[in-house]
Amino acid sequence: MNPVFELDRYTIRRKLLKVFGASFQVFDPEGRQVASCAQKAFKLKEDIRVFEDEERTRPLLTIQARQVIDFHASYDIVDAVEGVKVGAAQRAGVKSIFRDHWHVLDANDQPIAEVEEDSMGMALVRRVLLNLIPQTFHLDGGATFKQRFNPVIYKLDVSVDRDATVDRRLLFGVAVLLAAIEGRQDS
Amino acid sequence: MHDILTSCEHCAHRFEVPRAAAGSLQNCPSCGKATRVPGESDPAWVPFQLIVAALCVAAGVVASLGSGPVAGFAVGGGLLAAALLLRAAL
Ligand SMILES: [Zn+2]
């Protein structure tokens, strides 16, 4: 497995000044760039590619929305090196209106973990205050995703527990999705 | 609820997946690689597409009556191309 997936801590940063689509960079705790993500423009159904290098020649993951009209937004996360699906993430439609909630599924689409915004109180305050307060998400399979307070650049700090039960590649994909989907609501 | 019969885009192996997996990527039971399961297209799509095509043609006819056949082809063809592009983006 790529060493990127062995990191316990990393930061996802949205690149500024991208007119179409979106672009993210991932940094390790020492500030070295370890991955680069590109979200395809002109696609209503999300298509995000994660690469090891900034030149985007060495793919790590692909995250693709399901090609179907459904109420849940579901995203399949594929190890781009092996070409194997490692799992999926599904945004809980109704629940997420008040408090963002995602289901994490394994490769056979069986639920294995839940991602939830820190607390209902904070979630409601955020919705009233137009997302000025940074979001924090907890994954019950052993990870925390914490948005930094920065009204200009979206940054998400990811910290994975040593004994996390969820596949690290899947966790990485979920973190990128949170930055891409939930982060978009801020801008 | 019937299952969906699909075939792997890598090794052509045919297998069934639950209907809930429509439009998703699933690992092929034979080669293990992720392959796209066909999505159930919404039954409303076909008549909707026909209506859009008919509107494009009608706009072309109206434009050709007003400013000649070249303008008619330009307007009708342009609208049709725009609709196809939008469809591809979806
Ligand atoms: Zn196969």
Side-chain angles (χ1 to χ4, degrees):
Chain A
M1 204 184 297
N2 193 290
V4 171
F5 298 124
E6 281 156 28
L7 289 171
D8 290 327
R9 271 163 227 286
Y10 45 92
T11 300
I12 303 177
R13 179 183 191 273
R14 182 186 270 266
K15 261 184 154 178
L16 272 181
L17 299 171
K18 187 94 167 38
V19 182
F20 300 113
S23 185
F24 300 88
Q25 292 166 308
V26 186
F27 297 93
D28 70 7
E30 279 76 49
R32 282 184 296 257
Q33 189 177 339
V34 290
S36 141
C37 321
Q39 193 172 4
K40 281 203 178 154
F42 306 116
K43 279 259 181 196
L44 291 188
K45 291 273 181 193
E46 245 77 30
D47 184 314
I48 305 168
R49 312 273 155 146
V50 182
F51 299 88
E52 203 181 331
D53 54 335
E54 184 69 14
E55 292 72 37
R56 295 177 184 158
T57 56
R58 296 195 299 278
L60 286 173
L61 290 176
T62 64
I63 302 165
Q64 285 180 294
R66 296 204 174 163
Q67 302 295 310
V68 67
I69 303 158
D70 63 354
F71 190 64
H72 297 282
S74 305
Y75 304 88
D76 293 304
I77 298 166
V78 174
D79 178 327
V81 178
E82 292 177 18
V84 172
K85 171 173 159 180
V86 292
Q90 197 170 54
R91 191 164 194 269
V94 175
K95 272 189 180 172
S96 290
I97 295 172
F98 300 108
R99 183 181 182 188
D100 289 324
H101 191 115
W102 291 72
H103 309 296
V104 179
L105 316 176
D106 68 8
N108 298 312
D109 289 341
Q110 297 306 305
I112 47 169
E114 303 293 319
V115 180
E116 202 165 43
E117 209 172 337
D118 41 7
S119 75
M120 181 61 95
M122 287 301 279
L124 289 174
V125 169
R126 250 175 227 123
R127 276 149 182 75
V128 173
L129 290 177
L130 304 167
N131 286 327
L132 273 174
I133 305 170
Q135 279 183 305
T136 299
F137 300 93
H138 296 288
L139 181 138
D140 57 11
T144 305
F145 312 92
K146 206 171 160 57
Q147 184 192 346
R148 279 194 214 166
F149 179 73
N150 187 328
V152 185
I153 302 167
Y154 182 90
K155 283 183 187 175
L156 188 72
D157 289 321
V158 182
S159 100
V160 184
D161 299 349
R162 286 232 162 260
D163 55 355
T165 50
V166 178
D167 187 299
R168 296 294 186 112
R169 297 167 296 179
L170 183 52
L171 278 181
F172 201 97
V174 168
V176 171
L177 260 176
L178 285 176
I181 312 289
E182 306 292 2
R184 183 173 54 200
Q185 297 167 352
D186 293 0
S187 51
Chain B
M1 287 293 265
H2 295 284
D3 289 346
I4 302 171
L5 186 65
T6 187
S7 60
C8 173
E9 62 198 58
H10 309 287
C11 74
H13 176 75
R14 285 165 75 77
F15 63 102
E16 281 188 344
V17 293
R19 181 137 293 188
S24 70
L25 293 166
Q26 294 294 329
N27 290 333
C28 164
S30 178
C31 72
K33 288 200 158 58
T35 183
R36 173 79 63 195
V37 174
E40 301 271 285
S41 64
D42 194 321
W45 256 112
V46 177
F48 179 73
Q49 283 170 310
L50 287 175
I51 291 167
V52 170
L55 282 176
C56 292
V57 172
V61 170
V62 169
S64 71
L65 289 176
S67 335
V70 176
F73 273 113
V75 170
L79 283 174
L80 209 58
L84 286 173
L85 268 177
L86 196 66
R87 177 75 190 87
L90 289 170

